[in-house]
Amino acid sequence: MRLASSVFASLIFPVMCLAQTPATPLRIAASTYASVEVHLNARRVGNSWYEEDASLSGPSRIAVTYGQPHARGRKVEGGLIPLDSVWRFGANMATTLHSDLDITLGDLKLARGDYSLFILYTRTGYALIVNRGTGQWGTDHDAAKDIGRVALASRTMAEPEPSLSIYLVPDAPQPGTGYAELKGVLRIKWGTTELTTNWRIDQ
């Protein structure tokens, strides 16, 4: 009887220990994927503009797509955005710029197509880096593929922005008409900093 009890205990004890072992937490994190686009209800074919109709695949567009990081109480300027080194300008995959049209960003002319964007933050200011590489992870910046840099104007905001937010704002100098011009402002907000530069469609 004593032997039977010891055998039973030796069998049940490992099962009890196994049941009480806490499960390993999943290494899964929620993340945000965002995109901002400017649409034009026309396509340019050769030197002429054609309004959208059934024969076209849709409006011309300019789009910035990015993984959207959140501060979550952490320092942004000089923290999440490092000083004196190239920043991935987002999270996860590299932030991308797509344009169906030739555009000028700041003073940098870009042919229609796809690009990756990075930011350089230094003690003298911010610069947007346009890179011809696409499809890479955000930390994989190949400087040999840089096309150029665009100086970004900066200002300090009274209220901090908790998440990286990017806007492509069309310019409407005569808002009463309901029309916007083929140009505008690229606006970037995060932390207490707002960065801006102009964009326009080359006709």
Side-chain angles (χ1 to χ4, degrees), residues 20-60:
Q20 294 173 357
T21 302
T24 302
L26 295 174
R27 299 293 294 170
I28 298 173
S31 60
T32 307
Y33 189 69
S35 182
V36 57
E37 301 187 359
V38 168
H39 283 205
L40 291 82
N41 62 342
R43 285 267 176 181
R44 188 171 185 179
V45 180
N47 293 322
S48 301
W49 286 90
Y50 294 85
E51 292 187 7
E52 181 183 0
D53 59 32
S55 66
L56 298 174
S57 60
S60 298

Side-chain angles (χ1 to χ4, degrees), residues 77 126 154-157 188-195:
E77 300 88 348
Y126 291 82
S154 65
R155 75 173 184 90
T156 300
M157 300 185 295
I188 303 161
K189 295 182 179 181
W190 201 22
T192 58
T193 302
E194 179 186 61
L195 306 173

Side-chain angles (χ1 to χ4, degrees), residues 172-184:
Q174 297 178 329
T177 66
Y179 289 93
E181 295 189 357
L182 302 182
K183 63 180 182 177

Side-chain angles (χ1 to χ4, degrees), residues 5-202:
S5 298
S6 63
V7 170
F8 178 76
S10 65
L11 290 174
I12 196 66
F13 183 71
V15 175
M16 292 175 63
C17 290
L18 181 62
Q20 294 173 357
T21 302
T24 302
L26 295 174
R27 299 293 294 170
I28 298 173
S31 60
T32 307
Y33 189 69
S35 182
V36 57
E37 301 187 359
V38 168
H39 283 205
L40 291 82
N41 62 342
R43 285 267 176 181
R44 188 171 185 179
V45 180
N47 293 322
S48 301
W49 286 90
Y50 294 85
E51 292 187 7
E52 181 183 0
D53 59 32
S55 66
L56 298 174
S57 60
S60 298
R61 67 189 183 98
I62 305 169
V64 177
T65 304
Y66 60 105
Q68 184 182 49
H70 309 280
R72 298 191 182 101
R74 296 171 293 178
K75 181 181 179 182
V76 175
E77 300 88 348
L80 296 172
I81 302 177
L83 185 65
D84 294 328
S85 61
V86 175
W87 176 51
R88 64 194 303 166
F89 191 24
N92 301 326
M93 298 298 292
T95 292
T96 62
L97 167 68
H98 169 83
S99 180
D100 290 329
L101 304 160
D102 297 343
I103 62 172
T104 298
L105 192 58
D107 57 2
L108 182 64
K109 289 186 174 296
L110 299 171
R112 66 191 70 186
D114 295 280
Y115 305 91
S116 291
L117 302 176
F118 301 87
I119 280 183
L120 177 63
Y121 169 41
T122 69
R123 289 171 177 80
T124 58
Y126 291 82
L128 183 70
I129 301 173
V130 182
N131 185 283
R132 67 171 59 89
T134 58
Q136 74 272 36
W137 197 247
T139 54
D140 296 337
H141 170 242
D142 183 354
K145 295 182 179 180
D146 287 350
I147 295 172
R149 296 181 179 184
V150 177
L152 297 170
S154 65
R155 75 173 184 90
T156 300
M157 300 185 295
E159 293 293 329
E161 187 80 15
S163 304
L164 173 66
S165 300
I166 302 173
Y167 308 85
L168 286 167
V169 185
D171 190 10
Q174 297 178 329
T177 66
Y179 289 93
E181 295 189 357
L182 302 182
K183 63 180 182 177
V185 178
L186 169 64
R187 198 176 299 279
I188 303 161
K189 295 182 179 181
W190 201 22
T192 58
T193 302
E194 179 186 61
L195 306 173
T196 57
T197 191
N198 297 322
W199 61 265
R200 71 172 185 271
I201 293 169
D202 297 334

